[in-house]
Amino acid sequence: VEVKIEVVIPEKERSKEEMSPNGKASPLIYKVNGTARHYHLEEHPIASNPYHNPKDVVEASVCHVKDLENGQMREVDLGCGKALLIKESGEFHAVGHKCPHYGAPLVKGVLSKGRVRCPWHGACFNISTGDIEDFPGLDSLPRFQVKIEKEKVYIRASKQALQIQRRTKMMAKCISLSNYNLSSTNVLIVGAGAAGLVCAETLRQEGFSDRIVMCTMDRHLPYDRPKLSKSMDSHPEQIALRPKEFFRTYDIEVLTEMQVAAVDIKNKTAVFKDGFKMEYNKLLVATGNTPKALSCKGKEVENVFNIRTPEDANRVVKLATSKNVVIVGASFLGMEVAAYLTERAHSVSVVELEEVPFKKFFGERVGRAVMKMFESNRVKFYMQTEVSELREQEGKVKEVVLKSGKVLRADVCVVGVGAVPATGFLKQSGINIDSKGFVVVNKMMQTNIPGVFAAGDAVTFPLALRNNKKVNVPHWQMAHMHGRVAALNMLAHGMEISTVPYLWTAMFGKTIRYAGHGEGFDDVVIQGDLDELKFVAFYTKSDEVVAVASMNYDPIVSKVAEVLAASRTIRKRDVE
């Protein structure tokens, strides 16, 4: 018996007519640095014959059917690229072999009930369709048709599909942008992070063809914000989630440097800071968080940064080179910045109120192991203290004075002491906000106001994993899923959120992966060797595992995430 895999390649660009589907020129407006710029739509028809050029197609013998057991995956090489061959329940499937997010080898991931989960960051893909089912990332996998003939296995694939290894799901376009009143939209998305972008993309994927407007205080189109602290010298175009052409093609309008000052729910109107008003039918609040500032003496001096934009990160790298850096707060952001700057700065110091970094999140033992890794890389810690004063010289920070009395030399200071939800503009709106400023939503990401949804870091939502307890989970992956669920419920699909939180942090070339929700854990069961930085930590509450973290132990975190996603309980005795 032979398995033949035939590639269904993504749609190809065959013409670039600057027209909308109705044939009329339809400018989209992007404000960059306060200046309106006009772009026109581009059509990208689907290629009717994916193999119209035989020279672009390869065919290679791969294996026999008996070479794979049920539940097994194998990377197969076609000479000019690879595919992932999967056997489950007696059927063969073939998809792209790399996760479209950061290129992780999916063969090292976890196969379970019709989907494969990425070993690095937990994204999930349907093995039959290639569609992305859990995040992070925006693209799906190319799907290859599988055929069984005789005793050999063949894969027939276009070279392009093998090399690209990603597929954008089919999307609708606006019926006619030219007929719209500029001051009204069907869907208004406030915020242009992962939640906002995934919401817009999901609406288009589901066939929504009315107007969508995103607005952001940022000067850039949506970008990969977690990279700001992990890869600080990245330029905006390098970390853009989608190129400008994508927004033109699918009629997603983005208003940059535009801040919503108030929402009038009675008249369904958003009022911008500059006085501009926009009516909406459906609203998504996805404004994220605002970093907390220091409240000490001298907080207004120069060269003190919250890492919020690519410009912030780039400026810190430039100022820190061969200089003294003080980081206030051993948060994820603070520790990632510290790790990134050690090879560039003359000195890096971290000031933190707790006695151990990440104690509340990873526990004391894991926190100490991480701290030891940092200390071996020349990072100095000043724990159980805080900043009392920032001293300046010619208006720029020169020293950081601690309450312990210690004085640290500082040419640049990075503040990572937490954040608050950016929801101040909603206080008089009637939209339900809790005592901490988070927008309260149900399982469908709906607020208490019909037609108003919220998603991302600024919300509390019922977490299925913890018996629907209302929680705030400010993770990149969760923001993606919030956006998708909100979009589906704008279209009345009745979709409820049930995803398992998944996050990661990267420092000194090593990554800690984490899945679940460990808030309030009362014990940590550790397997492996903390000193060697090869371990897995299970966080338990009473007798139940509520979260897991690992370093150099892949794909254990993805395996646990799959178990939790299936609503199965892991007991403490199972991991001891």
Side-chain angles (χ1 to χ4, degrees):
V1 183
E2 65 180 14
V3 178
K4 187 173 285 187
I5 299 178
E6 187 174 338
V7 175
V8 180
I9 67 168
E11 61 180 83
K12 278 188 167 184
E13 296 182 20
R14 289 204 301 173
S15 70
K16 292 191 175 182
E17 299 293 331
E18 291 192 345
M19 291 287 177
S20 67
N22 65 358
K24 298 178 181 179
S26 304
L28 302 185
I29 301 173
Y30 298 83
K31 280 186 69 181
V32 181
N33 297 329
T35 305
R37 297 182 183 178
H38 296 264
Y39 298 104
H40 287 80
L41 299 178
E42 295 177 350
E43 281 275 54
H44 297 281
I46 300 171
S48 57
N49 179 10
Y51 300 121
H52 64 276
N53 186 351
K55 291 182 181 180
D56 290 338
V57 177
V58 295
E59 189 169 287
S61 176
V62 180
C63 69
H64 287 74
V65 171
K66 292 182 180 178
D67 287 345
L68 258 68
E69 300 292 333
N70 279 325
Q72 286 189 327
M73 302 185 287
R74 176 182 291 186
E75 264 189 14
V76 289
D77 195 343
L78 303 181
C80 64
K82 296 179 181 180
L84 183 67
L85 183 63
I86 302 167
K87 187 177 183 182
E88 190 174 70
S89 302
E91 293 189 12
F92 284 90
H93 308 272
V95 292
H97 76 289
K98 286 185 178 181
C99 178
H101 181 226
Y102 279 178
L106 292 175
V107 71
K108 294 183 179 180
V110 179
L111 177 64
S112 175
K113 295 184 179 179
R115 69 182 191 176
V116 58
R117 183 184 283 268
C118 172
W120 289 359
H121 306 130
C124 296
F125 304 91
N126 186 296
I127 62 174
S128 297
T129 64
D131 286 351
I132 188 167
E133 293 187 344
D134 203 343
F135 301 92
L138 298 169
D139 292 313
S140 298
L141 298 172
R143 175 180 61 87
F144 309 137
Q145 185 179 350
V146 178
K147 293 182 180 179
I148 301 174
E149 294 177 1
K150 300 181 181 178
E151 295 181 352
K152 293 183 180 179
V153 177
Y154 293 91
I155 294 179
R156 187 166 182 255
S158 80
K159 295 176 182 177
Q160 182 191 33
L162 287 167
Q163 290 163 3
I164 291 175
Q165 286 291 318
R166 65 181 63 225
R167 172 178 61 87
T168 302
K169 292 176 72 173
M170 290 290 293
M171 293 193 194
K173 300 186 178 199
C174 267
I175 296 171
S176 173
L177 281 174
S178 57
N179 295 334
Y180 289 132
N181 177 347
L182 283 176
S183 61
S184 68
T185 182
N186 197 304
V187 175
L188 176 62
I189 298 170
V190 185
L197 179 58
V198 171
C199 179
E201 289 200 21
T202 301
L203 288 169
R204 289 285 183 250
Q205 289 164 2
E206 295 297 315
F208 183 80
S209 59
D210 215 320
R211 191 180 187 198
I212 300 173
V213 174
M214 299 174 69
C215 62
T216 174
M217 291 169 59
D218 216 312
R219 61 186 292 189
H220 305 293
L221 293 174
Y223 57 87
D224 192 342
R225 193 179 295 277
K227 277 192 175 178
L228 293 184
S229 53
K230 297 179 176 75
S231 183
M232 298 179 67
D233 54 0
S234 298
H235 297 296
E237 58 273 12
Q238 293 174 313
I239 58 175
L241 294 175
R242 294 295 194 192
K244 282 181 181 178
E245 292 72 20
F246 180 92
F247 296 92
R248 302 175 205 164
T249 300
Y250 298 111
D251 308 340
I252 299 169
E253 298 172 68
V254 185
L255 306 178
T256 57
E257 297 183 291
M258 291 285 280
Q259 180 179 357
V260 174
V263 173
D264 179 348
I265 59 170
K266 184 178 180 181
N267 295 306
K268 290 191 169 185
T269 302
V271 182
F272 290 80
K273 194 173 181 180
D274 63 1
F276 177 67
K277 295 181 180 180
M278 179 170 280
E279 296 178 7
Y280 61 83
N281 182 29
K282 296 283 194 300
L283 175 69
L284 177 72
V285 177
T287 45
N289 286 332
T290 301
K292 289 181 181 177
L294 293 178
S295 57
C296 63
K297 182 181 177 183
K299 62 182 180 179
E300 67 284 346
V301 302
E302 290 183 38
N303 295 353
V304 178
F305 294 87
N306 294 111
I307 306 295
R308 187 64 185 166
T309 67
E311 289 77 15
D312 291 338
N314 296 170
R315 182 77 175 140
V316 167
V317 172
K318 187 175 180 181
L319 291 169
T321 303
S322 301
K323 300 290 185 179
N324 301 299
V325 181
V326 173
I327 293 161
V328 184
S331 58
F332 283 105
L333 181 142
M335 295 290 275
E336 288 171 0
V337 169
Y340 189 83
L341 293 178
T342 48
E343 291 185 359
R344 295 160 178 80
H346 177 262
S347 71
V348 177
S349 302
V350 176
V351 179
E352 168 60 35
L353 262 174
E354 294 285 340
E355 59 180 313
V356 176
F358 303 129
K359 183 178 178 180
K360 290 181 180 178
F361 200 87
F362 289 139
E364 185 172 346
R365 291 174 65 193
V366 173
R368 286 199 185 281
V370 172
M371 186 173 175
K372 187 177 175 182
M373 176 178 71
F374 273 74
E375 288 174 332
S376 68
N377 283 277
R378 299 187 308 109
V379 176
K380 291 185 178 181
F381 287 91
Y382 298 87
M383 309 302 283
Q384 294 180 284
T385 187
E386 54 188 319
V387 178
S388 64
E389 182 184 354
L390 298 177
R391 290 179 182 164
E392 55 90 16
Q393 183 177 320
E394 297 179 357
K396 299 174 181 177
V397 67
K398 206 61 188 173
E399 292 178 334
V400 175
V401 183
L402 307 182
K403 287 190 176 178
S404 63
K406 185 73 176 178
V407 178
L408 308 178
R409 293 177 61 189
D411 300 292
V412 58
C413 179
V414 177
V415 181
V417 293
V420 294
T423 56
F425 70 103
L426 297 175
K427 283 184 178 177
Q428 307 301 321
S429 67
I431 296 170
N432 189 13
I433 296 173
D434 72 10
S435 59
K436 293 182 179 179
F438 294 108
V439 181
V440 180
V441 297
N442 62 15
K443 285 185 175 183
M444 295 187 284
M445 309 314 295
Q446 296 169 326
T447 68
N448 60 310
I449 305 299
V452 178
F453 298 77
D457 294 1
V459 310
T460 58
F461 68 102
L463 184 63
L465 185 68
R466 299 294 295 272
N467 297 317
N468 295 319
K469 176 185 176 183
K470 284 284 180 75
V471 298
N472 170 252
V473 183
H475 300 168
W476 187 239
Q477 165 255 7
M478 191 60 76
H480 285 69
M481 186 56 81
H482 282 181
R484 176 165 177 76
V485 172
L488 292 173
N489 290 309
M490 286 180 181
L491 301 174
H493 285 202
M495 171 78 170
E496 293 188 351
I497 190 159
S498 61
T499 191
V500 174
Y502 200 116
L503 72 92
W504 68 98
T505 181
M507 302 163 293
F508 302 112
K510 300 183 183 299
T511 302
I512 300 178
R513 313 194 197 288
Y514 179 99
H517 188 69
E519 186 178 67
F521 68 87
D522 52 35
D523 197 10
V524 186
V525 178
I526 295 175
Q527 306 287 354
D529 192 327
L530 285 172
D531 291 333
E532 294 294 325
L533 298 175
K534 183 175 183 179
F535 64 87
V536 54
F538 297 94
Y539 299 87
T540 63
K541 189 166 187 180
S542 298
D543 185 43
E544 186 178 337
V545 174
V546 292
V548 60
S550 82
M551 184 183 282
N552 291 318
Y553 234 96
D554 293 340
I556 186 67
V557 171
S558 287
K559 283 185 176 181
V560 172
E562 275 302 297
V563 174
L564 296 177
S567 299
R568 288 158 54 195
T569 300
I570 304 173
R571 295 295 176 193
K572 188 175 181 179
R573 62 179 177 270
D574 298 329
V575 299
E576 280 181 323

